[in-house]
Amino acid sequence: MSWDEKGGKIWMDGEFVDWNDANIHVLSHVVHYGSSVFEGLRCYKNPNGSAIFRLNEHVERLFESAKIYKMPIPFTKTDISNAIKEVVAVNKLKSCYIRPLAYRGYKELGVSPLNCPVNTTIAVWEWGTYLGDEAMENGVDIGVSSWRRLAPDTMPSLAKAGANYMNAQLAKLEAIENGFDEAIMLDYHGFVGEGSGENIFLVKDDVIYTPSLSSSILKGITRDSVIKIAEDLGYEVSQEKIPREMLYLADEVFFSGSAAEVTPIRSIDRIEIGTAKRGPITEKIQSEFFSIVDGKTEDKFDWLSYIEY
Ligand code: PPE
């Protein structure tokens, strides 16, 4: 199940459909108005089996995103959790990325989505490191985008909606054009927000900082995992408004995300961060994160849901 093979099955509204037949009509509401909400999860293979990381939290957030957009998903949370596990098992994948998505489908066009059905789909594929294998050790180079995050009274950042990623695309395209691996966007007020697909953390004098939810960010589940791991390791973690220049002065900066996992950042706007390589606290958190998902340490936070094949 990869984009090259185009094999395997995709779950669509309760049925398993061949990858190549998982199509929708071009006049579906979502195609015209971006009316979708989605999730991204990872399943990790470890010596005890294969386990999905924080399944319940992702399903919960999918339903929260749908609630904000008044999109009634015609399945229960348990149905979706079971379907997520099933689609991994049916595709016989041990380690993969999982993409559940709910969207307004095909019935009529016009801005109001109310007459359009809500369809739900879950796809899986093998996805390696998000920003490159080498990045996990050496860090990435990022730049502050000229595009800001969504203003709080424009589109809700706490909803993981497909349309939010038009904003993310602008930032990502600009980053690529400028030769950066990734962008970091400021919020409407000029404080640090998040990357195109990641939350951000910085370390200064052994204290860990991350933007608060009022900076138009997604409430990242990896962000929450990093906070819990860091606190468990004895670090103080502060969620607050972060001025842009605090990024440059940090000892360490890193991204978190389901796709990005824990990725160190070595430069911002071509300014070296700390020693311009993965810092010691980033390394500790990253290694604890991978020890949990790889089953090397006890799953003390109860984050892993094992798949039955
Ligand atoms: N902010 C944004 C804007 C975002 O898209 C993600 C996830 C996060 C923060 C981190 O959230 P979490 O995954 O719950 O820790 N981005 C998803 C999509 C990436 C993509 O390229 O597509 C992801 O990581 O799955």
Side-chain angles (χ1 to χ4, degrees), residues 61 97 99 130 160 165 194 197-199 220-222 257-259:
R61 192 174 62 187
Y97 184 80
R99 171 57 56 84
Y130 191 54
K160 190 169 170 64
Y165 290 82
E194 62 181 349
E198 312 89 350
N199 292 114
I221 292 162
T222 321
S258 299

Side-chain angles (χ1 to χ4, degrees), residues 47-115:
N48 310 313
S50 279
I52 299 178
F53 186 63
R54 305 201 69 174
L55 174 61
N56 294 340
E57 290 83 351
H58 280 281
V59 171
E60 196 61 48
R61 192 174 62 187
L62 180 71
F63 279 78
E64 285 185 1
S65 300
K67 183 176 186 181
I68 293 171
Y69 281 101
K70 306 186 198 317
M71 195 186 280
I73 297 177
F75 293 96
T76 64
K77 290 176 195 169
T78 310
D79 292 339
I80 298 296
S81 297
N82 289 339
I84 289 174
K85 286 199 233 172
E86 229 183 312
V87 75
V88 176
V90 162
N91 285 291
K92 299 188 179 67
L93 285 169
K94 302 290 177 206
S95 157
C96 59
Y97 184 80
I98 308 162
R99 171 57 56 84
L101 180 111
Y103 61 93
R104 287 288 186 172
Y106 173 67
K107 179 80 166 63
E108 65 182 27
L109 286 180
V111 173
S112 168
L114 291 174
N115 291 331

Side-chain angles (χ1 to χ4, degrees), residues 37-41 62 80 84 98-102 120-123:
V37 295
F38 70 99
E39 277 303 317
L41 307 79
L62 180 71
I80 298 296
I84 289 174
I98 308 162
R99 171 57 56 84
L101 180 111
T120 317
T121 168
I122 308 166

